């Protein structure tokens, strides 16, 4: 009887986690300070990662621009990383996209600003001296 | 263990399936968005591991356990995951217990083999294979842990 119940569970219920545990373990162990991980912690981390993927996708879609077009784009995700505090830790790996021409212009403006500041500093110094 | 950088990636097919299941039907997910979410997931694993490890160290333990992972979720402001994770943990423990009981039951069955149980044999054999595979996995883990 016990065998039958277990058998039913296996077919009826979905698998607990769909991400491969072996891969999750490799990623966890790539962190040098971690020495060992028990099986429950591994299963929970895999499950948490699934929840995270769902949450990141739905959050970005809901707050994103593609709702009318029914699309989830990269910029929806980078916006999420920039604007939500919870997802802030992703800001470095999901940077905002920017055109090269725009970037060069920004660099130029920044340099000009700095030069101006330097000039101001110098005039300030001059005034202080006089 | 991770010799190539792509060893730290999660399988795209699985990630895509999880995203699709979470979003309404018919939403188009750009290729770039998929790989971005996949990268984000790997970073999430590392971040969670490092937080959980801090809790283990505070408790003067060398091995990360389930409560470390749950504490890490709160620390990372993913409190919303704690309840579903606790449910998953209970389900996992039930599953493990079920497997253990099933194998004990099988031992008993072997002792008193009768004709009427012949029918159940094929199903028992299926379970046998699953458990053997699981035991193998567990052994592998222990070996890796020692390293």
């Amino acid at each position: 009887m016990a065998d039958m119940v277990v058998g039913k569970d296996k077919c009826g219920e979905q698998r607990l986690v769909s991400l491969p545990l072996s891969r999750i373990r490799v990623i966890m162990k790539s962190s040098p300070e971690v020495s060992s991980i028990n099986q429950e912690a591994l299963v929970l981390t895999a499950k948490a990662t699934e929840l995270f993927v769902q949450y990141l996708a739905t959050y970005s879609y809901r707050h994103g621009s593609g709702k009318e077009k029914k699309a989830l784009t990269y910029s929806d995700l980078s916006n999420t990383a920039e604007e939500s505090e919870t997802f802030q830790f992703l800001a470095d790996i999901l940077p905002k996209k920017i055109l090269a021409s725009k970037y060069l212009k920004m660099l130029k403006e920044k340099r000009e600003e700095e030069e101006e500041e330097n000039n101001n500093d110098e005039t300030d110094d001059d005034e202080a001296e006089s | 263990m991770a010799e190539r950088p792509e060893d730290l990636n999660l399988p795209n097919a699985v990630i895509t399936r999880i995203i699709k299941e979470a979003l309404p039907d018919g939403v188009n997910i750009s290729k770039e968005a998929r790989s971005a979410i996949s990268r984000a997931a790997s970073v999430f694993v590392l971040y969670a591991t490092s937080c959980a490890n801090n809790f283990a160290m505070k408790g003067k333990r060398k091995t990360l356990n389930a409560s470390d992972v749950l504490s890490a979720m709160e620390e990372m402001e993913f409190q919303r995951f704690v309840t579903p994770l606790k449910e998953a943990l209970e389900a996992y423990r039930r599953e493990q217990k079920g497997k253990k009981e099933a194998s004990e039951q099988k031992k008993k069955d072997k002792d008193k083999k009768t004709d009427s149980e012949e029918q159940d044999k094929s199903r028992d054999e299926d379970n046998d294979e699953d458990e053997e595979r699981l035991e193998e996995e567990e052994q592998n883990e222990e070996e890796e842990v020692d390293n």
Side-chain angles (χ1 to χ4, degrees):
Chain A
M1 279 307 276
D3 276 307
M4 277 176 72
V5 175
V6 172
K8 213 188 259 172
D9 266 337
K10 254 179 206 160
C11 309
E13 250 178 72
Q14 253 192 319
R15 273 180 65 200
L16 216 48
V17 278
S18 41
L19 288 170
L21 293 181
S22 55
R23 186 51 63 95
I24 298 279
R25 197 192 311 110
V26 170
I27 302 175
M28 291 174 86
K29 287 217 152 191
S30 73
S31 162
E33 74 264 38
V34 173
S35 46
S36 63
I37 304 148
N38 81 10
Q39 187 71 6
E40 283 185 355
L42 178 62
V43 170
L44 275 193
T45 306
K47 186 74 192 168
T49 309
E50 280 182 33
L51 295 171
F52 168 79
V53 168
Q54 288 168 3
Y55 185 36
L56 175 61
T58 51
Y59 185 98
S60 303
Y61 183 66
R62 258 189 287 123
H63 292 80
S65 52
K67 245 185 285 182
E68 302 85 31
K69 286 180 252 163
K70 292 203 109 191
L72 179 67
T73 64
Y74 177 83
S75 67
D76 294 332
L77 294 165
S78 61
N79 273 334
T80 297
E82 191 183 63
E83 279 154 27
S84 147
E85 209 170 299
T86 320
F87 290 112
Q88 192 76 58
F89 71 98
L90 299 172
D92 285 344
I93 60 146
L94 301 177
K96 281 233 153 150
K97 275 207 189 161
I98 181 167
L99 285 174
S101 57
K102 218 173 166 186
Y103 180 67
L104 291 173
K105 208 175 144 200
M106 260 174 56
L107 271 185
K108 202 178 157 201
E109 276 168 12
K110 206 181 163 197
R111 214 176 297 138
E112 277 169 8
E113 254 172 52
E114 276 171 5
E115 270 167 25
E116 231 166 80
E117 264 172 40
N118 285 343
N119 287 342
N120 284 346
D121 285 352
E122 277 164 29
T123 51
D124 283 351
D125 288 347
D126 289 348
E127 275 164 25
E129 272 168 30
S130 62
Chain B
M1 259 164 80
E3 277 151 17
R4 299 163 303 165
E6 57 265 36
D7 286 345
L8 302 181
N9 294 344
L10 292 162
N12 278 325
V14 184
I15 294 286
T16 304
R17 197 178 71 224
I18 298 171
I19 304 171
K20 281 203 170 145
E21 279 168 6
L23 293 178
D25 277 347
V27 173
N28 180 52
I29 311 146
S30 77
K31 207 181 165 194
E32 243 181 333
R34 287 175 207 203
S35 70
I37 293 179
S38 183
R39 260 182 293 143
S42 292
V43 171
F44 174 84
V45 174
L46 285 172
Y47 183 24
T49 306
S50 143
C51 282
N53 195 55
N54 285 344
F55 284 102
M57 271 172 14
K58 260 185 225 164
K60 299 208 162 81
R61 280 175 285 104
K62 272 193 166 179
T63 306
L64 296 195
N65 65 25
S67 72
D68 295 328
V69 178
L70 292 173
S71 309
M73 290 303 127
E74 295 202 15
E75 173 116 333
M76 293 160 76
E77 289 179 47
F78 287 111
Q79 296 93 334
R80 54 167 56 230
F81 295 169
V82 171
T83 310
L85 285 180
K86 279 183 179 164
E87 283 165 11
L89 182 62
E90 271 170 39
Y92 175 75
R93 283 176 177 164
R94 267 201 307 275
E95 209 181 85
Q96 296 303 105
K97 208 174 155 230
K99 277 174 189 162
K100 207 178 155 198
E101 276 168 10
S103 64
E104 275 165 15
Q105 182 71 33
K106 231 181 311 135
K107 270 178 208 156
K108 278 184 206 162
D109 287 350
K110 267 177 196 164
D111 292 342
K112 46 160 191 171
K113 244 183 204 167
T114 60
D115 290 346
S116 64
E117 277 169 346
E118 264 328 288
Q119 293 168 294
D120 290 335
K121 228 185 164 185
S122 60
R123 191 166 35 221
D124 276 350
E125 274 161 12
D126 285 350
N127 285 345
D128 255 329
E129 280 174 17
D130 280 355
E131 273 151 26
E132 271 163 20
R133 214 182 313 136
L134 192 94
E135 275 163 17
E136 261 171 36
E137 270 174 28
E138 277 169 1
Q139 276 168 6
N140 286 343
E141 266 142 33
E142 277 159 21
E143 281 165 22
E144 278 157 12
V145 161
D146 290 338
N147 290 336

